[in-house]
Amino acid sequence: MDSKFSSGEDKKGGGSVPYLSPDEKFVEAELLKTILNVSSTAMMVLNPLGQVLYANPASESVLGIKLNDILSRTYDAPEWKNTSLDGGPWREENQPFNIILNTKKSVTDIRHAIEDSSGNKKYLSINGSPVFGQLGELSYLVFLITDITENVIKQKALEYNEIKYRTITELSLSMVYDLDIRTGENYWGGAIQEITGYTPNEYQKFGYEEWSNAIHPDDRGATLQSFEDAHLNHKKFNAEYRYKTKSGVYIYIEDNGIFLYNDQGEAYRMFGAMINRTKQMEASLALRESESRLVMALDAAKMGIWSWDIESRTIFWSPQTYSIYGYPGENFDVTEEKFTELTYREDWALLSNETNLLMNDLNRSEYRIQNRINHSDGKLHWIEARGKLTRTKDGKPLVLMGTVLDITEIKLSEEALRKSDERFEAFYQFSTEAFLIFDENGLTVKDSNFAFQKLFGYELADIPRLKIRNLLTAETLRKIRKSIRANANDSLEIVCKKKNGDLFPALVSVKRFLYKDTNSIGYSIFDLTPLKEVEKLRLINSEIRDKNKVIEKQKLELEVAFENLKRTQEQLIQSEKLAALGQLIAGIAHEINNPIGAVKASNQNMLDWQKRYGLASQLFREAILTVPVSEQKIVKTILANLDQPIEFYTGKEERLRKKRNKEVFLSHGFDVGPAEEFAEAWVELGIGEIDFNYLPLFQSHYIKVFLDYLALEIQFRRNTRSIQLAVDRISKIMYALKNFSRFDATGKKNKASIQETIETVLTIYQNQLKRGINLVKDYDEVAPIECYPDDLLHVWTNLIYNSLQAMSFVGDLEIAVKDKGEDILVSLKDSGPGIPKEIQSKIFEPFFTTKAPGEGSGLGLDIVNKIVKRHGGRIELTSVPGETIFYIYLPKQS
């Protein structure tokens, strides 16, 4: 250290440095080192290259950086993050190192900022000096660094507050003053020229006396007295007075201030602000005049005004408001409780809710509401109240004020009009007669009722685009125009056109009238189709009578041929559904005869079995007691397995099983003859392939006795099972027949399974289905629904039989039941030739049929359609050659 700090002649500075002896240098160096180590000021020594050669311990706390980090840096290392005091870049020419390096002179109080190890801003003051060698060269640069962070921050805060104060004062448009009461000197600031007309320099000459002389003579005494009172009572002062400007015009001033007192209670200073209130005062005067005119206008309009002071909970009513509620003001004190009592109870929630929304929503300031009141005449009156809410600066509700108007007569008129409109709408919308209203000028549709949409086949969305020419033939349109020009009131028989192009006869009445404030033309259209169809029905009565004769003849023939179904047939004849049963009787008889034949055959077999079973069972009992226990167990196992279904083999399967059994016997040492005999006997039993565990039994002396007995047991079980199956088949047919023939005339819905009603019809048609129909069923798990089960049986009967006829009883029939949310979808798809597109829209019309005369009445699908609609459902059709599908949608809920 001593060699580093030796000095020589200061050639650059023009002076000289005393030369010290080695001992003196040592003492001086040790002394300097001691001082630096205990100093609270940071000291750093740098070489001319900017490298830090030395830093005392205080440097670490002053700079907020570890000593090792300081010694590893150069003066311009980026880690310092140097900036100027205002946060801008610290230019190189302003840095003390560069200044000393360039000038070889000392620097004092150069300020800048760095960041410490924690990223905090440090403000520093730097003093620096150069150290020269013996030859006058610059050897080192020594810097003393002081932390001035606290002082800089305070200074910045003070400057900021001063700037903020001046800015706020200038922007507030108020004139502020600071009066030294003892000297009378006053400082003025703020909007001096804007308020007084004087420039700030001119007005600085104004003292207390000049200010008081500028107050209007009429206001001066009261103003000075209010200042004196505030001074004596140690209170803030507030005064309003007229003040003379430079131009000689008086303006209205609002003056607010405060006194400062010393420890003896003497006022030594006064601060205040003068605000120009001229515009507000002029507006207030104008408002008073406007309010007087408003009161006169409200009285003329019979409109009352009111206000509600929310904090004091007081209510003000004008005389007209009292009159609207039916109470004289001088004898009636309105309160919040009385106001609640006067409001109709059913409307209070509406009024309360609207008021709460207004109070709580800072974005709302007004409301308008119509409600009923309990008038003093004992009747309900209608009022319309409008309110506007005034809030404090912090948004707190202060005063709610507004107007009230009696609208009872308007409401009574509106109610009468509404009832009249409701009666018209009810008649208009629910009438079975079609109504259509056109605009007289544009000839576009303005409105129509449901009966029109249903009759013409249009959807509600189609109505606005309709033109009158879309609905009438050309001849009819000319006839109506002629009637309108002549103002005729007679009804016209015309021809109308539906959306699909179909024409139909109708009776129309045309009327001009005012509808919804526009000139309109109304059309009342009555469908004459039913009346025309009556005419057609009379013409086909003879054909119906001929068909009835054929039906009666068939009935007599069926009664003779099937006596056991006579009573059922007499009931079935009463409907078309029962007529369909007549077509099935022969098939049903065949279906019943088959299981009866099986029962007869099984019964004959049982008689034969009975003759043989006695001897065979006696021989079996004797044999089973003779053979070893192992053979007894095998016999018991075989008997126990006889409860499994008995197999019936085709010729090929039977030969294959005999071959396999023979191979088993041969592989276990049996001769060819016994192996073939046992293999054949076992297959004839029909209880599966031979089990290896049974082979010891076939070596028994009594094997033939056991085989005979087993054959009789199997024969017995086969016959009893055949009888049971036959009985079950007959029961199923009779159950289906019973369900099919049952007729419920109560007209009430019952819970029924859609799948079961379909299965009943399929059972009835079993004979026709098995001829050449490939039936596929796809049923979802669908819960029973409220329906008319007997009617649904007729729907399935008609649709299934139509499909069978269309396919000539040969083809594919697919029936599906699907859960579609609120609906159940039943679909029937057949592989028939399909229904031509040109007649698909007509197949549900009554008496329409494609069958030869005498084969169909044309009512089947019409009845099906009516039954489905009676359930609240719908039926749809898609058909192409080779695939026809009927879709029936039935609602789950009634």
Side-chain angles (χ1 to χ4, degrees):
M1 289 292 293
D2 53 339
S3 63
K4 291 182 180 179
F5 291 95
S6 60
S7 303
E9 184 179 356
D10 185 359
K11 295 180 180 179
K12 297 288 183 182
S16 62
V17 179
Y19 181 78
L20 300 178
S21 67
D23 291 337
E24 290 174 328
K25 290 180 181 179
F26 176 78
V27 173
E28 184 182 31
E30 289 298 320
L31 179 61
L32 179 61
K33 184 176 181 182
T34 301
I35 293 172
L36 292 177
N37 286 338
V38 298
S39 174
S40 61
T41 301
M43 177 179 177
M44 294 173 58
V45 179
L46 283 73
N47 63 19
L49 299 177
Q51 297 171 331
V52 180
L53 302 177
Y54 173 79
N56 71 336
S59 300
E60 187 171 291
S61 61
V62 171
L63 301 179
I65 300 172
K66 296 293 184 182
L67 199 57
N68 291 338
D69 292 339
I70 296 173
L71 293 172
S72 66
R73 297 180 183 179
T74 59
Y75 85 94
D76 56 354
E79 290 85 359
W80 297 109
K81 297 185 179 178
N82 292 312
T83 64
S84 62
L85 289 185
D86 60 3
W90 199 30
R91 294 181 296 178
E92 290 188 4
E93 60 268 24
N94 295 331
Q95 298 176 10
F97 179 86
N98 293 329
I99 295 173
I100 294 174
L101 198 64
N102 294 328
T103 66
K104 306 298 189 293
K105 294 181 180 181
S106 301
V107 295
T108 59
D109 195 24
I110 294 184
R111 301 185 175 195
H112 80 299
I114 66 169
E115 281 192 14
D116 63 13
S117 300
S118 302
N120 299 317
K121 186 74 75 175
K122 284 273 192 176
Y123 297 97
L124 307 173
S125 173
I126 300 177
N127 296 310
S129 287
V131 176
F132 299 97
Q134 293 181 1
L135 302 178
E137 75 280 7
L138 180 64
S139 299
Y140 309 103
L141 292 85
V142 181
F143 296 100
L144 296 179
I145 307 169
T146 307
D147 184 358
I148 59 171
T149 302
E150 185 176 352
N151 292 336
V152 170
I153 291 175
K154 288 181 178 178
Q155 181 66 25
K156 284 179 175 288
L158 183 61
E159 291 174 356
Y160 172 75
N161 289 333
E162 180 67 21
I163 293 171
K164 183 170 68 173
Y165 167 74
R166 291 176 181 174
T167 303
I168 292 174
T169 301
E170 292 170 358
L171 295 176
S172 67
L173 296 181
S174 62
M175 188 170 70
V176 298
Y177 54 86
D178 180 359
L179 173 65
D180 189 324
I181 296 176
R182 288 172 292 190
T183 65
E185 293 182 0
N186 199 3
Y187 168 77
W188 299 94
I192 298 172
Q193 191 163 359
E194 290 84 348
I195 293 178
T196 67
Y198 293 98
T199 65
N201 290 333
E202 290 173 336
Y203 207 77
Q204 291 301 334
K205 300 174 183 178
F206 273 57
Y208 179 79
E209 184 176 350
E210 289 82 3
W211 165 77
S212 62
N213 288 335
I215 300 174
H216 194 285
D218 294 344
D219 301 338
R220 187 179 300 139
T223 301
L224 298 179
Q225 185 61 46
S226 66
F227 274 82
E228 185 65 24
D229 292 342
H231 176 207
L232 294 176
N233 296 318
H234 291 216
K235 294 181 179 179
K236 296 179 181 179
F237 59 82
N238 173 268
E240 292 183 358
Y241 51 86
R242 285 166 288 179
Y243 192 75
K244 189 176 182 179
T245 64
K246 183 178 181 180
S247 63
V249 176
Y250 282 96
I251 59 174
Y252 288 92
I253 291 293
E254 179 185 344
D255 198 340
N256 296 284
I258 189 171
F259 290 94
L260 298 182
Y261 300 88
N262 58 23
D263 295 339
Q264 290 74 36
E266 298 174 348
Y268 66 90
R269 203 167 183 178
M270 180 174 69
F271 294 100
M274 297 167 58
I275 304 172
N276 187 353
R277 296 297 189 194
T278 303
K279 291 183 179 180
Q280 291 91 326
M281 289 298 295
E282 291 174 349
S284 177
L285 294 173
L287 177 62
R288 291 173 191 170
E289 184 180 352
S290 175
E291 285 177 349
S292 63
R293 290 197 299 267
L294 174 63
V295 170
M296 290 187 292
L298 290 174
D299 288 341
K302 296 184 178 180
M303 183 180 291
I305 59 175
W306 55 269
S307 67
W308 174 34
D309 190 309
I310 299 170
E311 186 173 354
S312 65
R313 305 177 68 86
T314 56
I315 296 176
F316 164 77
W317 276 5
S318 69
Q320 189 63 42
T321 304
Y322 281 105
S323 176
I324 289 172
Y325 277 82
Y327 293 93
E330 61 271 13
N331 298 324
F332 182 80
D333 184 22
V334 62
T335 62
E336 290 182 353
E337 292 74 17
K338 189 64 179 178
F339 176 74
T340 303
E341 180 184 331
L342 292 176
T343 302
Y344 185 51
R345 184 178 59 184
E346 293 184 7
D347 293 349
W348 175 246
L350 174 65
L351 181 61
S352 177
N353 182 61
E354 192 69 23
T355 305
N356 288 334
L357 287 174
L358 183 63
M359 296 288 187
N360 298 326
D361 189 349
L362 295 178
N363 294 322
R364 298 184 61 174
S365 61
E366 300 180 6
Y367 80 89
R368 176 181 179 181
I369 191 171
Q370 295 181 351
N371 65 277
R372 290 163 287 185
I373 62 171
N374 299 310
H375 198 270
S376 62
D377 63 7
K379 299 178 182 179
L380 289 178
H381 284 221
W382 278 91
I383 63 168
E384 178 178 274
R386 299 189 181 197
K388 185 176 181 64
L389 180 64
T390 303
R391 300 179 184 271
T392 61
K393 292 181 179 179
D394 58 358
K396 181 180 177 182
L398 192 63
V399 177
L400 182 62
M401 60 183 66
T403 61
V404 61
L405 177 66
D406 190 335
I407 58 170
T408 304
E409 293 183 3
I410 297 174
K411 278 293 182 180
L412 292 176
S413 300
E414 288 178 353
E415 182 66 16
L417 180 61
R418 184 185 63 79
K419 290 182 178 179
S420 174
D421 288 344
E422 286 179 353
R423 288 193 296 269
F424 169 74
E425 286 294 330
F427 169 75
Y428 176 68
Q429 290 296 341
F430 296 105
S431 173
T432 56
E433 192 171 343
F435 285 99
L436 189 64
I437 300 175
F438 273 85
D439 181 83
E440 185 176 13
N441 298 322
L443 290 181
T444 55
V445 176
K446 295 176 63 177
D447 204 352
S448 68
N449 65 348
F450 177 73
F452 168 81
Q453 297 155 21
K454 183 179 180 182
L455 177 59
F456 282 81
Y458 285 99
E459 300 294 333
L460 187 59
D462 300 330
I463 302 304
R465 297 189 296 272
L466 280 180
K467 299 289 185 181
I468 189 63
R469 63 176 177 272
N470 300 133
L471 309 173
L472 306 172
T473 63
E475 178 61 30
T476 295
L477 189 57
R478 285 194 293 271
K479 186 186 296 186
I480 288 180
R481 286 173 175 169
K482 182 179 179 182
S483 175
I484 293 174
R485 285 194 296 268
N487 288 322
N489 293 323
D490 297 335
S491 298
L492 300 175
E493 186 171 337
I494 62 173
V495 177
C496 296
K497 183 165 52 177
K498 296 185 178 182
K499 182 179 181 180
N500 61 8
D502 291 346
L503 302 178
F504 67 94
L507 196 65
V508 65
S509 297
V510 184
K511 185 74 174 179
R512 274 195 179 96
F513 69 108
L514 192 66
Y515 180 72
K516 295 183 178 179
D517 300 328
T518 57
N519 294 325
S520 305
I521 300 176
Y523 293 83
S524 170
I525 304 170
F526 180 75
D527 186 7
L528 294 177
T529 303
L531 298 178
K532 299 292 183 180
E533 288 181 350
V534 169
E535 301 269 339
K536 295 179 182 178
L537 289 175
R538 290 175 183 171
L539 298 177
I540 62 173
N541 271 343
S542 58
E543 182 182 347
I544 294 176
R545 284 196 294 270
D546 293 340
K547 290 183 179 181
N548 284 338
K549 290 178 182 179
V550 173
I551 293 171
E552 288 294 330
K553 182 178 179 182
Q554 292 175 347
K555 172 186 171 184
L556 292 174
E557 292 174 355
L558 290 172
E559 285 178 347
V560 173
F562 304 100
E563 248 179 284
N564 57 333
L565 297 175
K566 184 175 181 180
R567 288 185 181 180
T568 303
Q569 189 176 18
E570 288 175 351
Q571 295 173 356
L572 298 178
I573 286 288
Q574 297 176 19
S575 70
E576 184 190 342
K577 168 188 163 183
L578 306 180
L581 182 61
Q583 301 170 355
L584 305 175
I585 291 175
I588 293 171
H590 180 73
E591 286 295 311
I592 295 176
N593 285 337
N594 284 341
I596 289 176
V599 171
K600 288 180 179 179
S602 297
N603 184 56
Q604 185 61 46
N605 291 337
M606 292 298 289
L607 292 176
D608 296 340
W609 174 85
Q610 188 176 13
K611 294 176 183 179
R612 296 172 52 200
Y613 184 73
L615 177 60
S617 63
Q618 182 179 351
L619 293 174
F620 173 77
R621 284 193 297 273
E622 292 174 356
I624 198 67
L625 295 174
T626 305
V627 300
V629 174
S630 60
E631 294 182 11
Q632 292 180 11
K633 289 182 178 180
I634 292 174
V635 173
K636 290 180 181 178
T637 300
I638 295 173
L639 288 172
N641 289 336
L642 292 181
D643 290 334
Q644 300 296 327
I646 300 167
E647 297 182 13
F648 296 90
Y649 309 123
T650 63
K652 184 177 180 180
E653 290 174 341
E654 184 176 342
R655 289 192 298 274
L656 182 60
R657 289 185 180 273
K658 286 180 180 180
K659 180 180 178 182
R660 289 177 181 172
N661 288 341
K662 178 181 176 182
E663 291 172 354
V664 172
F665 284 115
L666 291 174
S667 65
H668 285 78
F670 286 82
D671 294 335
V672 175
E676 289 181 349
E677 180 183 355
F678 292 151
E680 183 174 358
W682 192 259
V683 170
E684 288 177 354
L685 292 177
I687 55 177
E689 296 183 2
I690 188 69
D691 191 326
F692 295 137
N693 296 321
Y694 298 165
L695 294 179
L697 183 66
F698 286 88
Q699 296 173 351
S700 172
H701 176 71
Y702 297 101
I703 183 59
K704 291 188 177 181
V705 173
F706 292 143
L707 290 175
D708 288 343
Y709 182 77
L710 288 173
L712 288 172
E713 279 290 333
I714 290 172
Q715 181 183 359
F716 174 78
R717 299 183 189 215
R718 281 179 175 173
N719 284 303
T720 55
R721 188 168 296 163
S722 295
I723 292 172
Q724 183 62 47
L725 290 174
V727 171
D728 289 345
R729 178 63 182 157
I730 294 172
S731 297
K732 185 176 181 181
I733 293 170
M734 295 308 295
Y735 175 77
L737 189 61
K738 177 183 176 182
N739 283 347
F740 192 85
S741 60
R742 183 169 60 86
F743 180 75
D744 182 8
T746 62
K748 295 181 179 179
K749 289 185 176 181
N750 298 309
K751 280 268 188 181
S753 167
I754 299 299
Q755 301 94 309
E756 288 183 5
T757 60
I758 295 173
E759 285 298 315
T760 295
V761 175
L762 291 177
T763 300
I764 297 298
Y765 279 112
Q766 183 63 34
N767 188 49
Q768 286 86 343
L769 292 171
K770 66 186 181 182
R771 294 180 188 175
I773 297 297
N774 176 31
L775 176 63
V776 178
K777 295 183 285 187
D778 182 10
Y779 297 165
D780 283 354
E781 289 294 331
V782 179
I785 64 171
E786 292 284 342
C787 62
Y788 302 103
D790 301 324
D791 289 349
L792 290 181
L793 286 173
H794 182 75
V795 171
W796 314 139
T797 300
N798 194 291
L799 294 177
I800 290 173
Y801 193 73
N802 281 356
S803 294
L804 297 179
Q805 282 187 316
M807 294 186 292
S808 299
F809 297 92
V810 176
D812 298 325
L813 176 61
E814 297 181 22
I815 303 177
V817 179
K818 296 295 178 183
D819 190 332
K820 293 295 182 181
E822 296 181 355
D823 295 329
I824 295 175
L825 171 61
V826 180
S827 62
L828 295 95
K829 179 170 74 173
D830 65 61
S831 60
I835 302 172
K837 187 174 182 179
E838 59 270 15
I839 67 169
Q840 287 182 13
S841 61
K842 300 180 180 180
I843 62 172
F844 294 108
E845 296 179 3
F847 306 113
F848 180 83
T849 179
T850 59
K851 298 176 183 178
E855 291 185 9
S857 64
L859 293 173
L861 289 179
D862 175 55
I863 294 174
V864 166
N865 191 27
K866 285 182 170 63
I867 291 173
V868 172
K869 286 184 177 179
R870 186 186 181 199
H871 283 79
R874 68 184 189 278
I875 183 169
E876 297 175 357
L877 164 70
T878 62
S879 182
V880 295
E883 182 182 280
T884 297
I885 307 176
F886 282 89
Y887 299 96
I888 299 90
Y889 292 87
L890 298 173
K892 293 180 181 179
Q893 301 295 329
S894 298

